[in-house]
Amino acid sequence: MRKLIGTAIAATAVAGLAFGAQASTLDDVKAKGHVQCGVSQGLPGFSNPDEKGNWSGLDVDVCRAVAAAIFGSGDAVKFTPLSAKERFTALQSGEVDLLSRNTTWTLSRDTALGLDFTGVSYYDGQGFMVRKDLGVKSAKELSGAAVCTNTGTTTELNVADYFRTNKMDYKVVAFEKADEVVAAYDAGRCDVYTTDQSGIAAQRTKLKEPGAHIILPEVISKEPLGPAVRHGDNQWGDIVRWTLNALITAEEFGVEKGNVASMKDSKNPEIRRLVSAEGTMCENLGLQPGCFANAIAAVGNYGEVFERNVGPSTPLGLGRGLNELWSKGGIMYSPPFR
Amino acid sequence: MADSSTTLNRSSGPPKTKVAPWNDPKVRGFFFQVVLLVALLWFCWWLFANTTANLERQKIASGFDFLGTTAGFGIIQTPIDYSETSTYGRAFMVGLINTLIVSVIGCVVATVLGFLIGVARLSHNWLVSRLAAVYIEIFRNIPLLLQIFFWYFVVLRLLPHPRDSLRPFSDVYINVRGIFTPNPVPLDGFSVVVIAFVVAVVAIVFLRRWATRRQESTGQTFPVFWTSVGLLVLLPLIGAAVTGFPMTWEYPKATRFSISGGFTIYPELAAMVMALSVYTASFIAEIVRAGILAVSHGQTEAAHSLGLRNGPTLRLVIIPQAMRVIIPPLTSQYLNLTKNSSLSAAIAYPELVSVFAGTVLNQTGQAIEVIGITMLVYATISLSISAGMNIYNKKMALVER
Ligand SMILES: N[C@@H](CCC(=O)N[C@@H](CS)C(=O)NCC(=O)O)C(=O)O
């Protein structure tokens, strides 16, 4: 009986406490000593673990940059692999602090799902891959085809829209895990594999004969992929947003992993503000001075991140395209650091 | 606690001294019950308030309105009409029916397979009983998810591309996209056939009653089984002949990519049924074996000395008694199979968890509502199975005369 009363009192106390308090994500992260980052379950070039469990990729570098901005080290981060279906619940429930998992910024995700997108780290669009020997040259020929894809993605919705607007029939075979999609497509279950173009390039490397498949010319959607945080903690959202912007600005002004240390002596005021030689940019976000310099020192600028993970010299071999800086014909654009 | 002290007090007998109310076990018991109840209510209210406050703060949508909005995604196996423009509510129905389809077929196949193997396990033939034992040990001990992948990818690897479909009959195609057969389409007047079928079923019920009564009074047996089969086939056939066979077939056709039209069994369903029933059958086999062993050997000897052969002994004497032992654990196997069908999401079979607790949850973000509904559905299905099996169990229970 005593125990019961004790439990009741404890429950009441806990209830009272938990109800009011709502710590900020930054405080939580600082207390933990690391950023908990939601990534994919293995998408080469974006977020992929090696045999030793070290994660690398463009999305991973965004996490590392945020960690470096807060803690000064790009290693103060832990990764949670999430399927497309699990990712939003994981973020909403606080299991991860930051979702950086080739996630498309859409209106309903931004609103009804209670998320905030903090910029675009990769401008993408949805494409189709088919076996060469099918002889298909255009997505318009795909009426009656079986299409393999992931559940819980924009992909699943876009493909429905595309076939509906073009009055074509299709059979969608939707798996939870990306590896099963690839395996089923490879086993001939589907004629078509569809996802983001970048995803196709990445998953293609897992096929038995990557050369036996072609990517069709049609791009059927806009897929701005970017990091997302929980709605309602603006400070945390700003930290992620401006860390990503810092990487883009760094590329624009020629600040690199190798030279960021010496940029404190730069004459350019924007660069000086970026590396905290002037102004209180980091302090405004609630971080230590030098936060962006640390982020750049950890992963390099956006161009370096791109080249290292998905660029022409990697197995993915993607060109910059839309992801080129605005000043060089692309649409990668950061608001000013001032 | 309060109760036990009450009984102690009572048993301690006459010395009835007046106690203060806070020492009166009855009052104390009542008091603590109230405290517990209040604490429980407070806890529930706290959970509810905290959740709604959090949802509100994060601006996550809530409520059940989403069930009426457009789903916008496709589903491969749609036993009821469904398209991208249907609602989330409709998608829920599709998922639910697909769950029921795979569970019902799985239970039937698992039962048949399980009984065969359970009986084989007890066979006096060394090879047969060993084979059954090997089957049981293999399939009982490998995790179900692995078996699901195994069957799925075995099915996919073994079957040919649609271009080289296997064609056991001219209008049946078997390939990696599924099994395609002609689909019967009823025309006007088909209801006569349905009515004939119902009449056949009713007739069989009466026939069985009559046969049992006759056997009890005269000892003569009647071939109930074959007569029933005959009735089930013949009556609808006569009905069809009279109305001029009011039915056409929709035939599957080869298209550029695959086969379309007709009736399709998708590889996802085939693999799920295969995996669920093979796995569950290994447990059912053990249950059946235990059930049969629980019937004392004297029953077999008695049956034999009455002149019954092995087959009828098993069917008429052993199994009916074994059923009393078999049914309760069999019920849990059915429940397991139904719940295990939720692993289907792994191989793209669009059942409830995959469609509703997967895609719909992800698109709407309404985790609490969606998971709540899903749990309610599974609880309902499970309770229905239990209720059904309890009724059956009552029927099979030892009737004392
Ligand atoms: N950008 C799309 C699709 C994202 C997605 O999940 N794509 C799959 C196929 S490329 C994937 O990343 N799979 C990797 C994994 O599940 O680990 C979205 O946000 O819905």
Side-chain angles (χ1 to χ4, degrees), chain A residues 1-2 4-5 8 11-16 18-19 22 84-89 91-93 108-109 111-115 131 133-137 141-146 151-154 156-158 160-161 164 170-177 179-180 183-184 186-191 208 230-232, chain B residues 1-2 28-29 31-33 35-36 39 42-43 45-46 49-51 53-54 56-61 70-78 84-85 88 149 152-153 156-157 159 161-163 176-178 255-258 260 266-268 345-349 353-354 357-359 361-367:
Chain A
M1 210 39 93
R2 285 250 160 79
L4 250 175
I5 305 177
T12 323
V14 169
F19 211 177
Q22 187 60 57
K85 174 179 132 178
E86 297 159 346
R87 58 186 155 171
F88 301 125
T89 317
L91 181 61
Q92 288 166 343
S93 63
S108 50
R109 287 176 180 176
T111 53
L113 262 57
L115 313 181
R131 234 167 282 273
D133 59 19
L134 267 185
V136 174
K137 293 281 173 292
E141 299 170 38
L142 289 178
S143 187
T151 49
T153 57
T154 49
E156 201 181 7
L157 299 174
N158 294 332
D161 283 359
R164 176 144 63 104
Y170 72 108
K171 290 276 176 207
V172 64
V173 191
F175 296 81
E176 183 179 347
K177 299 230 158 89
D179 284 345
E180 267 80 78
D186 225 3
R189 176 65 186 91
C190 299
D191 305 294
K208 271 185 294 190
R230 276 182 293 283
H231 180 97
Chain B
M1 269 178 263
R28 274 174 75 154
F31 172 73
F32 287 122
Q33 299 279 357
V35 168
L36 185 64
W42 163 253
F43 180 69
W45 176 81
W46 168 75
N50 210 0
T51 312
N54 278 333
E56 178 53 34
R57 192 172 39 76
Q58 288 183 33
K59 293 273 178 294
I60 297 176
T70 309
F73 59 90
I75 301 178
I76 182 163
Q77 178 180 308
T78 49
E84 293 75 21
T85 47
Y88 284 129
F149 282 131
Y152 188 53
F153 285 104
L156 288 191
R157 297 262 170 222
L159 293 174
H161 190 270
R163 253 178 276 130
V176 67
R177 304 292 160 79
T255 62
R256 171 162 185 191
F257 293 106
S258 176
S260 81
Y266 293 101
E268 289 77 28
I347 59 162
Y349 177 73
V353 168
S354 162
T359 305
L361 193 167
N362 188 275
Q363 309 291 11
T364 61
Q366 296 192 247

Side-chain angles (χ1 to χ4, degrees), chain A residues 33-307:
Chain A
H34 68 265
V35 177
Q36 194 73 39
C37 199
V39 291
S40 80
Q41 293 166 322
L43 186 66
F46 286 84
S47 41
N48 203 30
D50 64 15
E51 314 83 63
K52 294 200 207 78
N54 297 319
W55 287 82
S56 67
L58 189 139
D59 284 341
V60 163
D61 280 347
V62 171
C63 303
R64 292 196 190 282
V66 172
I70 299 167
F71 297 107
S73 159
D75 294 328
V77 56
K78 288 189 183 158
F79 297 99
T80 307
L82 299 168
S83 74
K85 174 179 132 178
E86 297 159 346
R87 58 186 155 171
F88 301 125
T89 317
L91 181 61
Q92 288 166 343
S93 63
E95 199 184 325
V96 296
D97 305 311
L98 166 63
L99 182 70
S100 182
R101 187 205 171 284
N102 52 317
T103 297
T104 307
W105 184 355
T106 70
L107 187 147
S108 50
R109 287 176 180 176
D110 209 336
T111 53
L113 262 57
L115 313 181
D116 274 345
F117 284 83
T118 56
V120 176
S121 55
Y122 189 97
Y123 289 96
D124 208 344
Q126 184 175 334
F128 296 108
M129 177 164 65
V130 296
R131 234 167 282 273
K132 269 192 189 140
D133 59 19
L134 267 185
V136 174
K137 293 281 173 292
S138 153
K140 292 266 161 51
E141 299 170 38
L142 289 178
S143 187
V147 181
C148 277
T149 190
N150 274 91
T151 49
T153 57
T154 49
T155 318
E156 201 181 7
L157 299 174
N158 294 332
V159 77
D161 283 359
Y162 182 77
F163 279 84
R164 176 144 63 104
T165 38
N166 287 297
K167 302 206 169 44
M168 302 194 295
D169 260 354
Y170 72 108
K171 290 276 176 207
V172 64
V173 191
F175 296 81
E176 183 179 347
K177 299 230 158 89
D179 284 345
E180 267 80 78
V181 189
V182 177
Y185 171 72
D186 225 3
R189 176 65 186 91
C190 299
D191 305 294
V192 186
Y193 175 81
T194 181
T195 183
D196 305 338
Q197 295 257 348
S198 64
I200 293 181
Q203 303 291 30
R204 188 185 194 169
T205 60
K206 295 183 188 164
L207 293 176
K208 271 185 294 190
E209 290 177 83
H213 305 263
I214 56 162
I215 298 175
L216 299 180
E218 283 86 353
V219 177
I220 65 163
S221 69
K222 288 183 289 185
E223 306 288 328
L225 312 179
V229 297
R230 276 182 293 283
H231 180 97
D233 186 345
N234 292 345
Q235 182 196 22
W236 179 247
D238 287 341
I239 290 173
V240 178
R241 173 177 299 109
W242 286 97
T243 304
L244 178 57
N245 282 334
L247 302 185
I248 299 168
T249 303
E251 183 182 12
E252 190 175 340
F253 288 88
V255 181
E256 293 167 3
K257 189 175 181 162
N259 67 13
V260 59
S262 61
M263 283 292 172
K264 274 207 177 296
D265 309 324
S266 167
K267 299 279 176 301
N268 182 326
E270 178 106 352
I271 295 180
R272 292 181 64 77
R273 285 191 294 270
L274 181 67
V275 301
S276 300
E278 260 175 40
T280 55
M281 302 290 135
C282 290
E283 291 89 329
N284 293 353
L285 291 171
L287 300 178
Q288 297 296 316
C291 62
F292 301 129
N294 288 338
I296 298 164
V299 300
N301 65 35
Y302 181 78
E304 291 176 278
V305 169
F306 192 100
E307 291 307 320

